[in-house]
Amino acid sequence: MTTEPRSSLEVERKYDVGDEASVPDWSLLPGVATVGAAEPRELDARYLDTADGRLAAALTALRRRTGGSDEGWHVKRSTPEGKLETHWPLDDADEAAPPDVPDAIVAELAEVAQPPFEVIARIRNSRTAFALLDAAGDLVAEFVDDRVTATDERSGRTSSWREWELELGPAAPATAAGVAELFAAADELVASAGGAPAASESKLGRALGR
């Protein structure tokens, strides 16, 4: 793996919703002028950790995901500001199942965990994404409607659910007050559709019953 990784900070809100819930009119959010066309994505991710859960203890997740524009290896770390994600693209040799963690990622994780890593969950997601744009056509946020099927690879337990996610983009409010106002408005729109803030912090946590 020779390509340099890229990192980004994800600031997002997740919601639990029923199977029949109707997607809100996101153009009602402050700063959003138009909602882009639906973009379907089929995502398939395998999450890995050590046998004794060193990554989970360090509030870190490791996955290999195919599908979507950012398929590849991802390391996610929880921070007070949001989730810091570092991404490496897949390469031609990266096809093993269970996947072999590339050396560059082993080095990235060395301070919190050492190999061997094993697959702890598989999460498949039929996603529909929408770009929420301001009057200039810049991205305020991305909304995704996820229908998830997950397997806890250790217990064999399977589960499925629907969730919504709103992730801030480059044209999101620049102040904490503006972000709070946007998310408060989103909470109201979701509540009107019968949804609520997600009970689990992540798809992996929900897949593993956390």
Side-chain angles (χ1 to χ4, degrees), residues 73-98:
W73 288 91
H74 305 94
V75 172
K76 284 193 173 189
R77 296 179 172 91
S78 294
T79 74
E81 295 79 23
K83 291 184 178 178
L84 180 62
E85 178 177 293
T86 306
H87 168 258
W88 293 259
L90 301 178
D91 60 36
D92 292 340
D94 192 13
E95 295 295 336

Side-chain angles (χ1 to χ4, degrees), residues 39 41 127 129-132 139-144 165-169:
E39 179 187 334
R41 303 171 187 167
R127 167 171 287 181
F130 300 84
L132 310 187
L139 185 68
V140 176
E142 182 182 62
F143 165 71
V144 296
E165 182 180 302
L166 193 67
E167 181 179 335
L168 300 187

Side-chain angles (χ1 to χ4, degrees), residues 17-174:
V17 293
D19 286 341
E20 305 304 320
S22 297
V23 171
D25 180 2
W26 292 111
S27 67
L28 297 175
L29 285 181
V32 175
T34 59
V35 178
E39 179 187 334
R41 303 171 187 167
E42 293 297 324
L43 311 176
D44 188 350
R46 288 174 171 82
Y47 287 78
L48 299 93
D49 202 341
T50 61
D52 56 355
R54 293 293 180 90
L55 293 180
L59 301 180
T60 299
L62 169 63
R63 75 181 176 205
R64 179 191 183 276
R65 189 169 75 183
T66 57
S69 60
D70 68 341
E71 71 175 7
W73 288 91
H74 305 94
V75 172
K76 284 193 173 189
R77 296 179 172 91
S78 294
T79 74
E81 295 79 23
K83 291 184 178 178
L84 180 62
E85 178 177 293
T86 306
H87 168 258
W88 293 259
L90 301 178
D91 60 36
D92 292 340
D94 192 13
E95 295 295 336
D100 293 325
V101 179
D103 292 343
I105 300 172
V106 171
E108 177 78 12
L109 297 171
E111 290 188 2
V112 296
Q114 299 288 337
F117 297 102
E118 61 185 44
V119 177
I120 58 171
R122 182 178 185 182
I123 298 178
R124 285 167 282 190
N125 183 9
S126 292
R127 167 171 287 181
T128 307
F130 300 84
L132 310 187
L133 308 173
D134 63 14
D138 296 323
L139 185 68
V140 176
E142 182 182 62
F143 165 71
V144 296
D145 183 358
D146 289 342
R147 296 180 183 271
V148 183
T149 301
T151 303
D152 181 334
E153 295 290 347
R154 290 170 170 171
S155 69
R157 185 180 71 92
T158 61
S159 55
S160 60
W161 66 90
R162 185 184 182 195
E163 71 177 44
W164 292 343
E165 182 180 302
L166 193 67
E167 181 179 335
L168 300 187

